[in-house]
Amino acid sequence: MQTIRVETPSAKYDVVTGSGLIETLAKRIERVVGRLPRRVFVLTSPEIWALWGDCMQQSFAEAPVVLFLAPGERHKTMASVEKLARQMVAAGGDRGSLLIAFGGGIVGDVGGFLASIYMRGIPYVQVPTTFLSQVDSSVGGKTGVNLPEGKNLVGAFYHPRSVFADIGVLGTLSDRELHAGLMESVKSGIIRDRALVRYMEQHADEVLGRDPKALEKVIAASIRMKAGVVHLDERESGLRMILNLGHTVGHAVEQATGYKALLHGEAVGWGMVAALFLARERGTISNAQFVRLENLVHLYGPLPPLKLRVAKVLAATGGDKKNVGGVRRFVLPVGIGDAGVVEDVAAEELKAAVSYMLAIAEK
Ligand SMILES: NC(=O)c1ccc[n+]([C@@H]2O[C@H](COP(=O)([O-])OP(=O)(O)OC[C@H]3O[C@@H](n4cnc5c(N)ncnc54)[C@H](O)[C@@H]3O)[C@@H](O)[C@H]2O)c1
Ligand SMILES: [Zn+2]
């Protein structure tokens, strides 16, 4: 079991990762918040509750009130938040209530946002159940929902009181979800942790075979990396942007495929291939490093094939949220374990990188 401290100007809390956390959740939460309040709410999705609800619930002396969010991005909306808030009022929720977000990144983002505005803010705890939510979305305090105009356009920075990332719940996760989530760990290594890159290269069999020790190692390193970055730049005014490696082209690929063909992590995997190409062309990584890192991306694949026109992906890069004032920001690796943000990527450079990515992705 490992505990990683997150410290930002607005919050200090622990992220605990290891096995057997769900079974002992109530006690662990009490250690953080004191005695449990009269109303404890668990926001989850029906499928996660069916798999892990009993296991979690038996740790509570008094059963929590369970709220359900149907799976899928189309339920990550203001309408869901309003509906859930009304259910909480009806069930006697007050300003002292506690919310537990028990699920993947969607449940975490909706739960965090709901907690941030319910009665002007109640404490909440993240219990992420996908690999992606354990290493990425549950840490850092970003919460929010989608609008018909785009993803994550409404939200708040609102940190949980604690995060419990239980390795055991990953046992029921599909291989595809696991592989996609691992792309964010590949990213973590490339931008800030050379030792993680080496570990993931040398222990791919154990990690992909869900060996608990190997998973804990990769998850803890990824969380530590994110906690370190968020500590230095809570509001994404500078350094935090490096977490977006692979995300400029990744988001474009998601958009160009209508958010249907690929999981987020898979799109980021392809986006990293484009970013690595661009970095090699600019000389911020050597050809040997390019080959090594691209192999690492594919080692944790397979990434689904893509059949897209270059122009369609290029057009979609224009709409990335990370662009401010029309400047196309791009995160590029610098060697292995470091990264920087560049703003002067020319249209031809980007076109070459996207063409390279699509040529490989078509095969
Ligand atoms: N807040 C942030 O900083 C941040 C960062 C990255 C991503 N996100 C958001 O996270 C969301 C994606 O999260 P995700 O990848 O976890 O997807 P998800 O929440 O949709 O979960 C993926 C699927 O896995 C199922 N599932 C979850 N846990 C399971 C388990 N233990 N066993 C079996 N099935 C399980 C879910 O029901 C769902 O069908 C996106 O909405 C994205 O915008 C937020
Ligand atoms: Zn991501």
Side-chain angles (χ1 to χ4, degrees), residues 47 73 76 104-106 109 129-130 137 142 152 169 172 177:
E47 47 182 332
E73 287 288 339
K76 187 177 161 180
I106 293 184
D109 280 10
T129 63
T130 60
S137 60
K142 277 193 191 176
N152 301 322
V169 296
T172 53
E177 291 283 353

Side-chain angles (χ1 to χ4, degrees), residues 73-74 76-78 144-154:
E73 287 288 339
R74 68 182 190 286
K76 187 177 161 180
T77 59
M78 296 288 273
V145 295
N146 304 327
L147 293 180
E149 287 75 12
K151 276 190 68 180
N152 301 322
L153 292 181
V154 176

